[in-house]
Amino acid sequence: MPKQPPMKLDFETSVITGKGLSALAQGVEGWERRDCFGQLEDYLYSAERDRVCLVYGLRRTGKTTMLRQAIGRMAPEDFRRAAYIKARRSDTMAMVNRDLKKLFEAGFQYAFLDEATLMKDFIDSAALFSDVYAAMGMKIVLSGTDSLGFWLAMDQELYDRAKPIHTTFIPYREYSRLLGIDSIDEYIRYGGTLRAGETAFDDADANAQDASFRDNESTRRYIDTAICKNIQHSLACYEAGGHFRHLYSLYEAGELTSAINRIIEDMNHRFLISVLTEDFTSHDLRLTAANLRKERDPQKRTAILDTIDTEAVTRRLMELLDIRNQEEQSIGITQAHINEIKEYLTALELIVDCPIETTDPDAEPVEHILFTQPGMRYCQAQALVHSLMKDRTFSSLSEQEKSRVSERILEEVRGRMLEDIVLLETMKAADQNHYIFKLQFSAGEFDMVVYDKKENCCEIFEIKHSKEQVAGQYRHLIDKDKCRQAEARFGPIRGRYVLYRGEDFQAEQGVQYRNVENFLKKLPELEILHSPENEDPELRPVLGG
């Protein structure tokens, strides 16, 4: 890039141009780009005016990197007219306005404002960027972690004058390409972010407020339980804090963190009053205890979790996750609270509803909330295992027994999370002619159904975290009664599949095993399902045909 003469302008905010800007861009040279990166360049070099570009999402999803990459790919003449501003909590919109005016008068065309939502008056004054500077021909790119703040700004100040680029959702195929890691378990651990979740549960420095949320993004730790901070900061800055609605009582009492975390931890991810108001008990612990009692392998069968001090374990887990129990909760949780929390988590793109259907055509689909960042779930499971290790009863066991029980807990968590990942990513990849859902019967379920609305036929799936092929894995897929009920509502079944972590394999009765990692990496193309040399012509899948 060409050398820049020293800038003679005095700025009130942290403005980087010329040599400093070149150094900023060089730091990401050679890095892979997000799938949504093309949308950013389309905005920068389009002829449209009056609109700003919003690059927003949760932490560790590549927002700042995208800005630096866009700057680094600029032609010399565009680079000379570009400036990067790193907003600070002490900055105000008045300060940014004065600096942008200086940049415009000096001939600058491109302004990248990072961490814009740190400014307390950003949400209520965001129209300044579109109505003034974008209208004058400048390309304004705004980025920040408080994605709810951008959502609120788009609803009010910016309205239709913004081009949004969302970074929160990182599907497995993109994660694999960006980081060069092909393990679905690694994806679960990273949880849809570009950094691993924290596991230093006893590290006071790691858990300190200043260490977790300091401004230097390169050193900030990604805290899975910090979603509520996004909501609280955005609402506090919006209309001078006058838009908390029913959540104000929870916010004032310090209960908002508790409410959000209870929802995230819930096994079925459902927003029900009972989940928020009943005594907090780990669903992972209850389920694992039951499964270990009925383990088929006698060497692995154990009732050890029944002897664990579950009250102490639960108390320790709540301490780790900053969750208060019912006795400590001074404000009652109402349906209005639940509805508003759900609305904001949806706005953050943290949750998506992937419905559960039944064979009754008159029944309403059951809400089934999936998290786009599964690492939150896994982080809580790791906290549970860490807590178990400190329980007196558990500590008296042999290392082999402790390892066996701990791994079983995490295995079950990974299994449920894999189901959610496949459902979510297939649903997002499907076009308007395909409907993706889980189908439940009076007993048992199909983990995923792909219904072709145009052709009136479907494909049914079982999703397993295992690498092994076991006949019992697909018993529901070949259950004549279940298949008959499914076909009565969703048309002929054209394919039966088990998605798992092993090799592709043709099983009996037309059931096909497919590697789940390959399946996810091929999305949105679904032709991987089609295997002419192995399939039964009566069970031919139609999604990829």
Side-chain angles (χ1 to χ4, degrees):
M1 292 182 179
K3 292 185 177 180
Q4 290 281 302
M7 293 297 300
K8 302 298 184 181
L9 301 175
D10 292 325
F11 296 108
E12 299 177 60
T13 62
S14 178
V15 179
I16 301 176
T17 61
K19 185 177 180 180
L21 191 63
S22 178
L24 184 74
Q26 287 174 359
V28 296
E29 281 186 2
W31 290 18
E32 292 286 342
R33 295 185 290 275
R34 289 290 312 268
D35 287 351
C36 56
F37 180 80
Q39 299 177 44
L40 176 56
E41 288 198 325
D42 288 345
Y43 165 78
L44 289 173
Y45 305 116
S46 67
E48 69 173 338
R49 300 165 70 100
D50 301 326
R51 288 216 299 172
V52 299
C53 181
L54 308 181
V55 180
Y56 63 94
L58 298 181
R59 292 176 182 168
R60 310 298 186 193
T61 56
K63 301 177 298 297
T64 298
T65 297
M66 283 180 60
L67 269 57
R68 295 168 66 188
Q69 288 174 324
I71 293 169
R73 286 167 53 87
M74 282 183 157
E77 60 272 20
D78 292 321
F79 176 80
R80 285 192 293 268
R81 298 181 295 164
Y84 173 86
I85 304 173
K86 182 77 167 183
R88 298 165 295 197
R89 295 186 187 279
S90 57
D91 292 339
T92 65
M93 288 291 286
M95 295 165 62
V96 172
N97 179 40
R98 289 190 288 269
D99 284 350
L100 284 176
K101 184 177 180 181
K102 293 175 184 177
L103 289 169
F104 177 77
E105 291 175 347
F108 282 80
Q109 178 76 21
Y110 305 93
F112 298 83
L113 178 57
D114 202 3
E115 296 295 358
T117 52
L118 288 180
M119 296 183 291
K120 292 183 178 180
D121 55 349
F122 165 76
I123 298 175
D124 293 336
S125 308
L128 166 75
F129 299 112
S130 58
D131 293 358
V132 178
Y133 294 101
M136 293 192 300
M138 289 188 76
K139 293 293 185 177
I140 306 291
V141 179
L142 307 174
S143 181
T145 297
D146 283 348
S147 41
L148 184 62
F150 283 113
W151 182 76
L152 293 169
M154 286 189 65
D155 187 59
Q156 296 292 330
E157 284 283 302
L158 294 174
Y159 193 48
D160 59 349
R161 292 159 292 176
K163 173 184 176 62
I165 299 177
H166 311 282
T167 66
T168 293
F169 178 57
I170 306 174
Y172 173 73
R173 64 183 182 277
E174 186 177 5
Y175 156 83
S176 177
R177 177 180 62 80
L178 290 172
L179 299 182
I181 301 174
D182 295 329
S183 166
I184 191 66
D185 281 348
E186 283 296 299
Y187 177 69
I188 290 171
R189 184 172 70 88
Y190 277 76
T193 70
L194 299 178
R195 286 284 297 275
E198 291 300 333
T199 57
F201 298 109
D202 283 334
D203 185 343
D205 291 334
N207 294 321
Q209 183 76 5
D210 59 346
S212 299
F213 301 102
R214 61 180 181 266
D215 292 337
N216 188 347
E217 187 166 345
S218 66
T219 58
R220 282 189 303 182
R221 296 176 179 270
Y222 188 92
I223 305 299
D224 294 304
T225 54
I227 298 303
C228 62
K229 305 298 191 298
N230 191 325
I231 295 174
Q232 290 174 179
H233 179 262
S234 297
L235 292 179
C237 295
Y238 180 47
E239 295 181 350
H243 202 72
F244 272 98
R245 298 186 290 174
H246 295 91
L247 297 181
Y248 186 77
S249 57
L250 293 177
Y251 174 68
E252 282 289 287
E255 301 286 353
L256 195 50
T257 295
S258 173
I260 295 171
N261 276 303
R262 285 172 188 266
I263 293 169
I264 292 174
E265 201 281 336
D266 179 58
M267 179 179 65
N268 295 314
H269 302 178
R270 293 175 301 184
F271 289 80
L272 300 177
I273 294 178
S274 60
V275 175
L276 295 172
T277 56
E278 68 183 10
D279 285 353
F280 184 93
T281 304
S282 171
H283 296 282
D284 294 328
L285 182 59
R286 290 204 303 264
L287 181 60
T288 297
N291 284 345
L292 283 175
R293 283 195 302 271
K294 62 183 182 181
E295 172 64 54
R296 292 183 178 181
D297 186 343
Q299 292 186 340
K300 295 182 179 180
R301 188 183 307 134
T302 176
I304 186 59
L305 283 185
D306 293 329
T307 65
I308 293 292
D309 185 347
T310 55
E311 183 179 346
V313 169
T314 300
R315 186 166 57 249
R316 174 64 174 158
L317 182 59
M318 289 190 296
E319 178 184 321
L320 293 171
L321 298 175
D322 190 29
I323 296 177
R324 297 186 181 184
N325 207 3
Q326 176 71 23
E327 301 84 52
E328 300 171 298
Q329 188 170 313
S330 58
I331 304 297
I333 303 297
T334 68
Q335 188 62 46
H337 291 142
I338 297 171
N339 292 340
E340 289 175 19
I341 290 173
K342 176 182 175 181
E343 179 183 0
Y344 291 137
L345 291 179
T346 301
L348 292 175
E349 294 186 291
L350 183 67
I351 62 172
V352 176
D353 183 18
C354 186
I356 297 175
E357 291 282 0
T358 66
T359 54
D360 181 0
D362 296 324
E364 288 292 323
V366 178
E367 182 182 64
H368 181 51
I369 299 298
L370 307 182
F371 279 80
T372 61
Q373 289 197 318
M376 289 181 191
R377 176 71 169 168
Y378 199 69
C379 182
Q380 290 186 331
Q382 287 177 307
L384 172 60
V385 173
H386 184 81
S387 179
L388 284 173
M389 290 295 185
K390 293 184 175 297
D391 185 78
R392 287 191 300 272
T393 304
F394 193 81
S395 299
S396 66
L397 301 177
S398 69
E399 290 301 315
Q400 183 182 34
E401 287 177 308
K402 286 193 290 186
S403 176
R404 181 189 307 162
V405 175
S406 300
E407 178 54 30
R408 182 57 180 267
I409 294 172
L410 295 179
E411 173 68 20
E412 290 178 355
V413 170
R414 289 192 292 267
R416 286 204 305 276
M417 289 172 61
L418 181 59
E419 291 182 24
D420 284 357
I421 289 167
V422 172
L423 269 173
L424 176 65
E425 297 197 14
T426 307
M427 183 180 71
K428 283 183 170 288
D431 58 29
Q432 61 182 359
N433 292 324
H434 293 93
Y435 178 40
I436 315 299
F437 56 93
K438 182 189 292 282
L439 181 61
Q440 285 187 342
F441 304 92
S442 56
E445 65 184 20
F446 293 159
D447 289 337
M448 182 171 73
V449 176
V450 177
Y451 172 53
D452 187 325
K453 294 182 285 186
K454 186 176 180 181
E455 300 294 333
N456 188 38
C457 58
C458 65
E459 295 166 312
I460 57 178
F461 296 79
E462 189 73 29
I463 302 167
K464 298 296 182 184
H465 186 258
S466 172
K467 291 183 177 180
E468 307 300 322
Q469 301 160 5
V470 181
Q473 292 171 335
Y474 54 83
R475 65 187 186 280
H476 294 319
L477 301 182
I478 59 176
D479 185 302
K480 292 183 179 179
D481 184 55
K482 288 182 174 61
C483 290
R484 184 166 52 250
Q485 293 181 59
E487 289 186 320
R489 183 174 179 191
F490 300 107
I493 295 172
R494 297 302 189 191
R496 294 172 169 86
Y497 303 94
V498 177
L499 298 179
Y500 78 135
R501 295 187 299 134
E503 299 296 324
D504 290 359
F505 174 75
Q506 180 70 34
E508 61 179 346
Q509 300 188 52
V511 175
Q512 300 179 55
Y513 277 77
R514 290 290 180 266
N515 180 269
V516 67
E517 291 156 334
N518 290 338
F519 173 85
L520 292 172
K521 287 168 71 174
K522 288 290 186 179
L523 293 174
E525 299 296 329
L526 294 174
E527 293 181 359
I528 185 174
L529 299 180
H530 191 76
S531 182
E533 66 274 15
N534 292 327
E535 69 185 11
D536 183 328
E538 293 302 315
L539 297 174
R540 180 177 177 180
V542 298
L543 192 57

